[in-house]
Amino acid sequence: MLEVRIRKKLDSFTLDVQFAADGGVLALLGASGCGKSMTLKCIAGVERPDSGRIVLNGRVLFDSDEGICLTPQQRRVGMLFQDYALFPHMTALENVKAALGHLPRRRREAEAMAQLERFQLAELFARTPDRLSGGQRQRLALARMLAAQPEVLLLDEPFSALDSHLRDQMEREMIRHLQGYAGDVVLVSHDRDEVCRMCRQVCVLTRGRSEPRRTVQELMASPDTVSAARLSGCKNVSSAVRISEHTVSCPDWGFTLETAAPVPDALTAVGIRAHHIAPGAAERNSAVCRVAQVRRSAFSVLVTLLPERGEGEALTMELSPEEWAAQGEAETLAVHIPPDCVLPLTGGGL
């Protein structure tokens, strides 16, 4: 189990993160520059927090009050960087051997070859990283990292620089290799779909501050902050005012909306997922909108709507091509939002 509670002053904000990973893959999900990678570096010992405590399986890695700060080599933490950080002038075998300093010298080569065999790289043992494909480099980086027998794996956006085809292939390989790993895994990402495919739990970071850990399913079904809603893929987020326990006013859209979920006193906004906006008037939560733009893809149509009574804030509705065709290329459209699809939100970041 990994327990993290740290603070570190950065140039534009203070990192203030608290979470626990206790099995499976935990995602740190946030926009670029929010402190995700810095959090991993603090856990690995590459960076030192200003204060706090980091504990891994009962071992204290860092404690500012007790003056404890183990070196990266003492922590038994494996970190996979975005560029894999392989030694460019070493062969695949030498890269893995470099992680086996805990073994007697005479055993290192045999163990390194066994590790390459596990990752289907044994025939490439004499190649340097520049002579390997992207997938082979990723497998080599994983082989080297796991050879050191880390108690936790830290994955820093390992697919961010790849094209979509290679990304899909390497993601599938990563999931397969992680299935046999017994320790905790922390994945840094800004991609909600990647998190949905790879992770069981998620901790959202916004400008260095962490939100409570939740399951990925909970994040997608009921995000409760502006940041969580945006990161979960909610395309429609606008400021709102609480009117009652189940009613909000959205002046930017010109709506008064009923909600199924209770509206918190600290409400700042509401979110509506694009596929939850439906054509047609209804008894509640209806509005007439002007169709401002239509964007088509192979499997969906995104329709930009301007509510007639709003203040210029647009809504995005997502339909199938067949559903949009049924509207007859309308220029004006009545739409409605079911009350159980209105997400009351707190926090800043609008």
Side-chain angles (χ1 to χ4, degrees), residues 84 86 121 124 127-141 162 166 169-170 173:
Y84 307 135
L86 295 167
L121 293 169
L124 307 174
R127 293 192 184 183
T128 51
D130 63 318
R131 297 176 59 208
L132 301 175
S133 70
Q136 290 165 346
R137 286 196 298 272
Q138 186 197 65
R139 293 205 305 273
L140 178 57
L162 307 176
L166 186 56
Q169 173 189 336
M170 293 174 67
E173 287 196 16

mmCIF file of all heavy atoms in Angstrom, residues 84 86 121 124 127-141 162 166 169-170 173:
data_model
loop_
_atom_site.group_PDB
_atom_site.id
_atom_site.type_symbol
_atom_site.label_atom_id
_atom_site.label_comp_id
_atom_site.label_asym_id
_atom_site.label_seq_id
_atom_site.Cartn_x
_atom_site.Cartn_y
_atom_site.Cartn_z
ATOM 1 N N TYR A 84 10.852 6.799 -21.690
ATOM 2 C CA TYR A 84 11.392 5.512 -21.233
ATOM 3 C C TYR A 84 12.779 5.606 -20.609
ATOM 4 O O TYR A 84 13.185 4.704 -19.887
ATOM 5 C CB TYR A 84 11.395 4.461 -22.354
ATOM 6 C CG TYR A 84 10.057 4.294 -23.012
ATOM 7 C CD1 TYR A 84 9.936 4.215 -24.388
ATOM 8 C CD2 TYR A 84 8.889 4.260 -22.248
ATOM 9 C CE1 TYR A 84 8.697 4.086 -24.991
ATOM 10 C CE2 TYR A 84 7.650 4.137 -22.844
ATOM 11 C CZ TYR A 84 7.553 4.052 -24.209
ATOM 12 O OH TYR A 84 6.342 3.940 -24.806
ATOM 13 N N LEU A 86 15.804 5.034 -21.433
ATOM 14 C CA LEU A 86 16.757 3.941 -21.635
ATOM 15 C C LEU A 86 18.146 4.519 -21.871
ATOM 16 O O LEU A 86 18.302 5.633 -22.368
ATOM 17 C CB LEU A 86 16.337 3.097 -22.840
ATOM 18 C CG LEU A 86 14.996 2.354 -22.683
ATOM 19 C CD1 LEU A 86 14.536 1.820 -24.033
ATOM 20 C CD2 LEU A 86 15.117 1.228 -21.663
ATOM 21 N N LEU A 121 12.030 -10.353 -25.788
ATOM 22 C CA LEU A 121 13.116 -9.516 -26.291
ATOM 23 C C LEU A 121 14.454 -10.248 -26.330
ATOM 24 O O LEU A 121 15.476 -9.636 -26.642
ATOM 25 C CB LEU A 121 13.269 -8.260 -25.421
ATOM 26 C CG LEU A 121 12.118 -7.250 -25.449
ATOM 27 C CD1 LEU A 121 12.293 -6.216 -24.341
ATOM 28 C CD2 LEU A 121 12.041 -6.559 -26.800
ATOM 29 N N LEU A 124 16.751 -9.931 -29.237
ATOM 30 C CA LEU A 124 17.210 -8.565 -29.508
ATOM 31 C C LEU A 124 18.192 -8.086 -28.446
ATOM 32 O O LEU A 124 18.439 -6.886 -28.323
ATOM 33 C CB LEU A 124 16.000 -7.614 -29.556
ATOM 34 C CG LEU A 124 14.863 -8.029 -30.498
ATOM 35 C CD1 LEU A 124 13.677 -7.080 -30.349
ATOM 36 C CD2 LEU A 124 15.345 -8.043 -31.941
ATOM 37 N N ARG A 127 20.872 -5.406 -29.296
ATOM 38 C CA ARG A 127 20.500 -4.157 -29.971
ATOM 39 C C ARG A 127 20.446 -2.995 -28.978
ATOM 40 O O ARG A 127 20.023 -3.155 -27.833
ATOM 41 C CB ARG A 127 19.144 -4.294 -30.659
ATOM 42 C CG ARG A 127 19.141 -5.251 -31.829
ATOM 43 C CD ARG A 127 17.858 -5.105 -32.627
ATOM 44 N NE ARG A 127 17.798 -6.080 -33.712
ATOM 45 C CZ ARG A 127 16.818 -6.139 -34.594
ATOM 46 N NH1 ARG A 127 15.815 -5.267 -34.530
ATOM 47 N NH2 ARG A 127 16.823 -7.061 -35.538
ATOM 48 N N THR A 128 20.839 -1.829 -29.460
ATOM 49 C CA THR A 128 20.691 -0.610 -28.667
ATOM 50 C C THR A 128 19.274 -0.054 -28.897
ATOM 51 O O THR A 128 18.601 -0.433 -29.860
ATOM 52 C CB THR A 128 21.737 0.441 -29.076
ATOM 53 O OG1 THR A 128 21.690 0.599 -30.506
ATOM 54 C CG2 THR A 128 23.132 0.005 -28.641
ATOM 55 N N PRO A 129 18.800 0.831 -28.010
ATOM 56 C CA PRO A 129 17.412 1.313 -28.116
ATOM 57 C C PRO A 129 17.052 1.919 -29.461
ATOM 58 O O PRO A 129 15.905 1.793 -29.905
ATOM 59 C CB PRO A 129 17.332 2.353 -26.986
ATOM 60 C CG PRO A 129 18.300 1.848 -25.958
ATOM 61 C CD PRO A 129 19.431 1.269 -26.745
ATOM 62 N N ASP A 130 18.012 2.559 -30.148
ATOM 63 C CA ASP A 130 17.684 3.184 -31.428
ATOM 64 C C ASP A 130 17.407 2.155 -32.516
ATOM 65 O O ASP A 130 16.886 2.506 -33.587
ATOM 66 C CB ASP A 130 18.805 4.124 -31.869
ATOM 67 C CG ASP A 130 20.111 3.392 -32.103
ATOM 68 O OD1 ASP A 130 20.454 2.510 -31.287
ATOM 69 O OD2 ASP A 130 20.798 3.693 -33.097
ATOM 70 N N ARG A 131 17.704 0.894 -32.266
ATOM 71 C CA ARG A 131 17.441 -0.170 -33.226
ATOM 72 C C ARG A 131 16.229 -1.008 -32.831
ATOM 73 O O ARG A 131 16.007 -2.089 -33.374
ATOM 74 C CB ARG A 131 18.676 -1.058 -33.369
ATOM 75 C CG ARG A 131 19.891 -0.322 -33.925
ATOM 76 C CD ARG A 131 21.100 -1.229 -33.942
ATOM 77 N NE ARG A 131 20.877 -2.414 -34.757
ATOM 78 C CZ ARG A 131 21.483 -3.586 -34.564
ATOM 79 N NH1 ARG A 131 22.350 -3.725 -33.559
ATOM 80 N NH2 ARG A 131 21.231 -4.611 -35.352
ATOM 81 N N LEU A 132 15.426 -0.491 -31.896
ATOM 82 C CA LEU A 132 14.204 -1.160 -31.464
ATOM 83 C C LEU A 132 12.995 -0.340 -31.878
ATOM 84 O O LEU A 132 13.061 0.886 -31.994
ATOM 85 C CB LEU A 132 14.190 -1.341 -29.945
ATOM 86 C CG LEU A 132 15.336 -2.155 -29.328
ATOM 87 C CD1 LEU A 132 15.240 -2.133 -27.814
ATOM 88 C CD2 LEU A 132 15.309 -3.595 -29.845
ATOM 89 N N SER A 133 11.860 -1.010 -32.076
ATOM 90 C CA SER A 133 10.617 -0.310 -32.379
ATOM 91 C C SER A 133 10.074 0.339 -31.102
ATOM 92 O O SER A 133 10.551 0.076 -29.993
ATOM 93 C CB SER A 133 9.584 -1.285 -32.934
ATOM 94 O OG SER A 133 9.151 -2.172 -31.900
ATOM 95 N N GLY A 134 9.044 1.166 -31.263
ATOM 96 C CA GLY A 134 8.459 1.816 -30.097
ATOM 97 C C GLY A 134 7.927 0.820 -29.088
ATOM 98 O O GLY A 134 8.145 0.954 -27.873
ATOM 99 N N GLY A 135 7.240 -0.212 -29.561
ATOM 100 C CA GLY A 135 6.734 -1.231 -28.652
ATOM 101 C C GLY A 135 7.845 -2.001 -27.963
ATOM 102 O O GLY A 135 7.738 -2.352 -26.786
ATOM 103 N N GLN A 136 8.923 -2.279 -28.700
ATOM 104 C CA GLN A 136 10.064 -2.991 -28.097
ATOM 105 C C GLN A 136 10.754 -2.139 -27.047
ATOM 106 O O GLN A 136 11.179 -2.643 -26.005
ATOM 107 C CB GLN A 136 11.039 -3.401 -29.197
ATOM 108 C CG GLN A 136 10.495 -4.501 -30.100
ATOM 109 C CD GLN A 136 11.279 -4.646 -31.389
ATOM 110 O OE1 GLN A 136 12.082 -3.771 -31.753
ATOM 111 N NE2 GLN A 136 11.036 -5.727 -32.108
ATOM 112 N N ARG A 137 10.866 -0.834 -27.300
ATOM 113 C CA ARG A 137 11.473 0.053 -26.289
ATOM 114 C C ARG A 137 10.630 0.103 -25.025
ATOM 115 O O ARG A 137 11.160 0.111 -23.917
ATOM 116 C CB ARG A 137 11.653 1.460 -26.869
ATOM 117 C CG ARG A 137 12.786 1.575 -27.862
ATOM 118 C CD ARG A 137 13.187 3.018 -28.123
ATOM 119 N NE ARG A 137 12.103 3.802 -28.701
ATOM 120 C CZ ARG A 137 11.862 3.893 -30.006
ATOM 121 N NH1 ARG A 137 12.639 3.232 -30.872
ATOM 122 N NH2 ARG A 137 10.881 4.628 -30.459
ATOM 123 N N GLN A 138 9.308 0.119 -25.196
ATOM 124 C CA GLN A 138 8.452 0.126 -24.012
ATOM 125 C C GLN A 138 8.619 -1.168 -23.213
ATOM 126 O O GLN A 138 8.721 -1.143 -21.987
ATOM 127 C CB GLN A 138 6.988 0.302 -24.395
ATOM 128 C CG GLN A 138 6.084 0.460 -23.159
ATOM 129 C CD GLN A 138 4.632 0.218 -23.472
ATOM 130 O OE1 GLN A 138 4.242 -0.885 -23.838
ATOM 131 N NE2 GLN A 138 3.825 1.255 -23.317
ATOM 132 N N ARG A 139 8.663 -2.297 -23.916
ATOM 133 C CA ARG A 139 8.837 -3.575 -23.222
ATOM 134 C C ARG A 139 10.183 -3.631 -22.528
ATOM 135 O O ARG A 139 10.307 -4.163 -21.417
ATOM 136 C CB ARG A 139 8.683 -4.745 -24.201
ATOM 137 C CG ARG A 139 7.282 -4.894 -24.744
ATOM 138 C CD ARG A 139 6.991 -6.315 -25.182
ATOM 139 N NE ARG A 139 7.939 -6.842 -26.151
ATOM 140 C CZ ARG A 139 7.837 -6.697 -27.456
ATOM 141 N NH1 ARG A 139 6.830 -6.008 -27.977
ATOM 142 N NH2 ARG A 139 8.723 -7.242 -28.264
ATOM 143 N N LEU A 140 11.217 -3.076 -23.169
ATOM 144 C CA LEU A 140 12.545 -3.063 -22.548
ATOM 145 C C LEU A 140 12.532 -2.197 -21.283
ATOM 146 O O LEU A 140 13.111 -2.573 -20.260
ATOM 147 C CB LEU A 140 13.579 -2.550 -23.541
ATOM 148 C CG LEU A 140 15.015 -2.427 -23.008
ATOM 149 C CD1 LEU A 140 15.524 -3.764 -22.477
ATOM 150 C CD2 LEU A 140 15.943 -1.885 -24.089
ATOM 151 N N ALA A 141 11.880 -1.050 -21.356
ATOM 152 C CA ALA A 141 11.806 -0.190 -20.178
ATOM 153 C C ALA A 141 11.061 -0.885 -19.043
ATOM 154 O O ALA A 141 11.453 -0.794 -17.870
ATOM 155 C CB ALA A 141 11.123 1.129 -20.534
ATOM 156 N N LEU A 162 2.726 9.097 -28.725
ATOM 157 C CA LEU A 162 2.556 8.090 -29.766
ATOM 158 C C LEU A 162 1.359 8.392 -30.654
ATOM 159 O O LEU A 162 0.385 9.012 -30.224
ATOM 160 C CB LEU A 162 2.368 6.713 -29.123
ATOM 161 C CG LEU A 162 3.444 6.285 -28.120
ATOM 162 C CD1 LEU A 162 3.070 4.945 -27.509
ATOM 163 C CD2 LEU A 162 4.799 6.205 -28.785
ATOM 164 N N LEU A 166 -0.150 3.047 -32.709
ATOM 165 C CA LEU A 166 0.892 2.540 -31.824
ATOM 166 C C LEU A 166 0.459 2.674 -30.371
ATOM 167 O O LEU A 166 0.746 1.800 -29.548
ATOM 168 C CB LEU A 166 2.203 3.292 -32.058
ATOM 169 C CG LEU A 166 3.436 2.793 -31.301
ATOM 170 C CD1 LEU A 166 3.692 1.323 -31.591
ATOM 171 C CD2 LEU A 166 4.656 3.632 -31.646
ATOM 172 N N GLN A 169 -1.774 -0.264 -29.506
ATOM 173 C CA GLN A 169 -0.993 -1.501 -29.409
ATOM 174 C C GLN A 169 -0.204 -1.550 -28.106
ATOM 175 O O GLN A 169 -0.205 -2.570 -27.391
ATOM 176 C CB GLN A 169 -0.038 -1.589 -30.600
ATOM 177 C CG GLN A 169 0.946 -2.748 -30.524
ATOM 178 C CD GLN A 169 2.003 -2.658 -31.607
ATOM 179 O OE1 GLN A 169 1.788 -2.032 -32.650
ATOM 180 N NE2 GLN A 169 3.154 -3.249 -31.369
ATOM 181 N N MET A 170 0.464 -0.458 -27.766
ATOM 182 C CA MET A 170 1.320 -0.457 -26.583
ATOM 183 C C MET A 170 0.500 -0.425 -25.299
ATOM 184 O O MET A 170 0.915 -0.970 -24.276
ATOM 185 C CB MET A 170 2.280 0.727 -26.660
ATOM 186 C CG MET A 170 3.279 0.563 -27.801
ATOM 187 S SD MET A 170 4.347 1.985 -28.063
ATOM 188 C CE MET A 170 5.308 1.941 -26.580
ATOM 189 N N GLU A 173 -0.414 -3.993 -24.654
ATOM 190 C CA GLU A 173 0.735 -4.727 -24.127
ATOM 191 C C GLU A 173 0.991 -4.366 -22.670
ATOM 192 O O GLU A 173 1.283 -5.237 -21.845
ATOM 193 C CB GLU A 173 1.974 -4.433 -24.977
ATOM 194 C CG GLU A 173 1.961 -5.105 -26.336
ATOM 195 C CD GLU A 173 3.346 -5.120 -26.972
ATOM 196 O OE1 GLU A 173 4.343 -4.890 -26.249
ATOM 197 O OE2 GLU A 173 3.434 -5.372 -28.178
#
